[in-house]
Amino acid sequence: MEKDLTILAIETSCDETAAAVVRNGREVLSNVIYSQISLHTVFGGVVPEIASRSHIEKINPVIEAALSEAGTKLSDIDAVAVTYGPGLVGALLVGVSAAKAIAYAARKPLIPVHHIEGHISANYIENKDLEPPFLCMVVSGGHTHLVRVADYGKYEILGRTHDDAAGEAFDKVARAIGLGYPGGPKIDKAAKEGNADALSFPKAHIKDAPLDFSFSGVKSAVLNYLNDCRMKGLPISQADVAASFQKVIVEVIVEHTMEAAKESGLKKIALAGGVASNSELRRQMEEACKKHGYQFYRPSPIYCTDNAAMIGAAGYYDYLNGKRAGWDLNALPNLKLS
Ligand code: KG4
Ligand code: ZN
């Protein structure tokens, strides 16, 4: 039997300051998340400068809490993994600097982790039997990628968005109907009270790229509908708009995932990213997988939105693949997955 490998993981790419201790990629010993949501709510979205300052204040206490909740000392840690991109550069830099300082002082290897690879790897935490190859639909605030996970650390993007990310569309529509930030969970909740067939918003199909996405059309259609109602003095049902908008987004994501599964021959389907915690998306994707005979995987909601346990899971396989960073590791805001 191989020796256990315990990783301290750090994630600060957007508005969550997070640290976790993860053993052998799949066993979470601690998962501490400080959410900055309350700091950004008054501005209706994440303010990068405020995010960086808050990360600086919270990073050390969050790392200390992660080590103490796991019952580990720095000397018990075998490596330090950190998100180095993509994300907000000032936010990423705080995590990268903390990880470099700790790894250097404790003489541990430093593992650079791609944020989206982290989201995908969140599926390994609760599904001990899941191994590549599989298909992963990544839907977050910044990304919408249909990914063929060929092997640990080997990714092929089969479909991507041409404009807004799915989470971005949720956030913009939520703001327009007065639900505020963060929009995704609020639309999810409001939609439960609404009629998804009350309004008809368009589904975009990209010519010659059937697995790609476009969400700006549906977002504009919602904004036009709202303007029209306001000009005519007609009442607006937040719940019906939320449900009808969510229906279009969810249907497009499920349809494209099923198409990609058919084309690629992959029979294991996973969801990842903040929007993967959407209750209707989880329900419809599970139903579609059952219908087609695919095995369906999705992380618990706490591992869908940004967290460091997923960085520890990805970091473990990166470590086994020999990936290491030097002390010159930098934050890369536009880092590509493949
Ligand atoms: O993965 P994530 O935490 O951060 C990024 O890497 O972007 O995703 C955040 C996004 C936000 O746009 C948020 O509105 C969305 O995920 N989100 C949801 C839900 N929970 C979070 N969208 C739809 N339904 C939800 N329940
Ligand atoms: Zn994320």
Side-chain angles (χ1 to χ4, degrees), residues 183-198:
K186 293 194 170 162
I187 291 210
D188 193 346
K189 190 158 170 253
K192 291 191 200 308
E193 311 297 322
N195 173 7
D197 297 317

Side-chain angles (χ1 to χ4, degrees), residues 202-260:
K203 255 188 228 173
H205 294 282
I206 311 269
K207 200 168 167 274
D208 302 328
L211 298 181
D212 282 0
F213 300 87
S214 168
F215 295 118
S216 66
V218 58
K219 177 196 67 188
S220 301
V222 174
L223 297 181
N224 288 341
Y225 167 78
L226 296 172
N227 275 340
D228 202 42
C229 287
R230 281 171 192 142
M231 273 185 340
K232 292 179 182 155
L234 298 171
I236 295 165
S237 159
Q238 267 183 342
D240 284 351
V241 176
S244 304
F245 160 76
Q246 180 177 271
K247 179 184 174 193
V248 173
I249 303 270
V250 166
E251 281 181 5
V252 165
I253 293 171
V254 173
E255 281 165 16
H256 287 203
T257 308
M258 290 304 117
E259 185 57 33

Side-chain angles (χ1 to χ4, degrees), residues 11 13 115-116 119 140-141 273-274 304-306 310:
E11 153 67 42
S13 68
H115 183 72
I116 298 302
H119 275 303
S140 74
C304 287
T305 43
D306 289 349
M310 69 185 196

